[in-house]
Amino acid sequence: MTNGKKTGIFYYVTDNNGIKGYVWRGYMAKGVLPAGEFPNPGGIPNADDDELENLQGQRVGNSVYNEQVAARQNTDAYSLFGFIKAGANLPEAAKLYAQNPNDPLLKQAPYSHMKFITNSSAPTKQQRQALVTGKLSFKDFVSADLKKQGIDPNKYSTRSNDKWFIGITSSPIYLKANQTTLYPKFGQYTIALLAPQYKSEVEK
């Protein structure tokens, strides 16, 4: 904005009382972001404050950002299996299977003792759109797909000490990834399960 021969940067702002006007940048001070107002530049569907706060400072689309977005949605899917243990090496096993289900490593222990579950079919365009807009949660999507395959998560859930181990990997879902190579993968997931009798193989 220019006033006579002087030029400066001004912001049009509204204060807590609803008063609006222009303020010179030099008068602005960094404040504390109120709860519930963490920015969501990536457009993560149904993101809560904790998730958005953890992502502050991360560039949308970098490896850490993608891993954290996927980890949060995987955590939601874990709850489908109720009383079950997260296996230290199972997420990596699920990733290995997702990348190449014919990988020779999968024929070796501990992978050879694992049960792998993945999508019954590729997610449709409508499903991907529903996922990225938040109309369909990732947890509900996985639940419906497991049901379609006749898989009951409760089969692997028990309150005893003999619990199955689980690991999940999935493609991160957020709006800014809509025009990237991640888009066709929205909704893709792989679950690795290991029976309790093989627990020594993940507790080494």
Side-chain angles (χ1 to χ4, degrees):
M1 180 179 291
T2 300
N3 181 10
K5 295 182 179 181
K6 295 182 179 181
T7 300
I9 298 176
F10 292 76
Y11 297 105
Y12 188 72
V13 300
T14 304
D15 69 10
N16 292 333
N17 296 316
I19 299 174
K20 302 177 181 180
Y22 287 96
V23 177
W24 176 50
R25 182 173 64 176
Y27 290 136
M28 302 291 285
K30 187 176 181 180
V32 178
L33 195 65
E37 294 186 12
F38 287 104
N40 186 5
I44 303 169
N46 302 318
D48 59 25
D49 286 344
D50 289 340
E51 180 176 10
L52 294 176
E53 183 177 13
N54 290 337
L55 288 170
Q56 295 305 298
Q58 294 296 335
R59 182 174 60 83
V60 174
N62 71 13
S63 59
V64 175
Y65 185 93
N66 288 341
E67 287 171 5
Q68 290 192 23
V69 172
R72 175 55 68 94
Q73 64 195 37
N74 293 342
T75 298
D76 291 340
Y78 276 123
S79 64
L80 291 170
F81 291 81
F83 293 91
I84 200 167
K85 293 180 179 178
N89 299 321
L90 270 74
E92 288 72 21
K95 288 180 182 178
L96 183 65
Y97 185 90
Q99 292 168 355
N100 180 11
N102 297 313
D103 193 307
L105 278 176
L106 295 172
K107 296 181 180 180
Q108 304 175 24
Y111 308 115
S112 58
H113 298 145
M114 295 179 186
K115 175 181 176 63
F116 294 96
I117 303 171
T118 189
N119 298 75
S120 58
S121 59
T124 65
K125 180 179 179 179
Q126 290 76 17
Q127 287 173 323
R128 294 197 299 266
Q129 187 64 21
L131 284 165
V132 78
T133 57
K135 294 179 181 178
L136 174 63
S137 72
F138 180 69
K139 176 181 176 181
D140 288 345
F141 171 78
V142 174
S143 178
D145 193 65
L146 292 176
K147 185 176 181 179
K148 182 179 178 181
Q149 298 183 60
I151 297 172
D152 181 6
N154 292 317
K155 174 183 177 182
Y156 306 97
S157 176
T158 172
R159 290 177 181 269
S160 70
N161 291 325
D162 295 328
K163 298 174 182 177
W164 283 70
F165 294 86
I166 186 173
I168 300 177
T169 186
S170 65
S171 179
I173 301 168
Y174 56 94
L175 191 60
K176 281 292 182 68
N178 234 2
Q179 305 301 322
T180 72
T181 55
L182 289 173
Y183 172 68
K185 300 178 181 179
F186 285 175
Q188 289 187 2
Y189 70 89
T190 300
I191 300 170
L193 292 159
L194 185 68
Q197 62 263 35
Y198 299 113
K199 66 179 182 179
S200 62
E201 297 182 358
V202 295
E203 294 181 342
K204 293 176 181 179

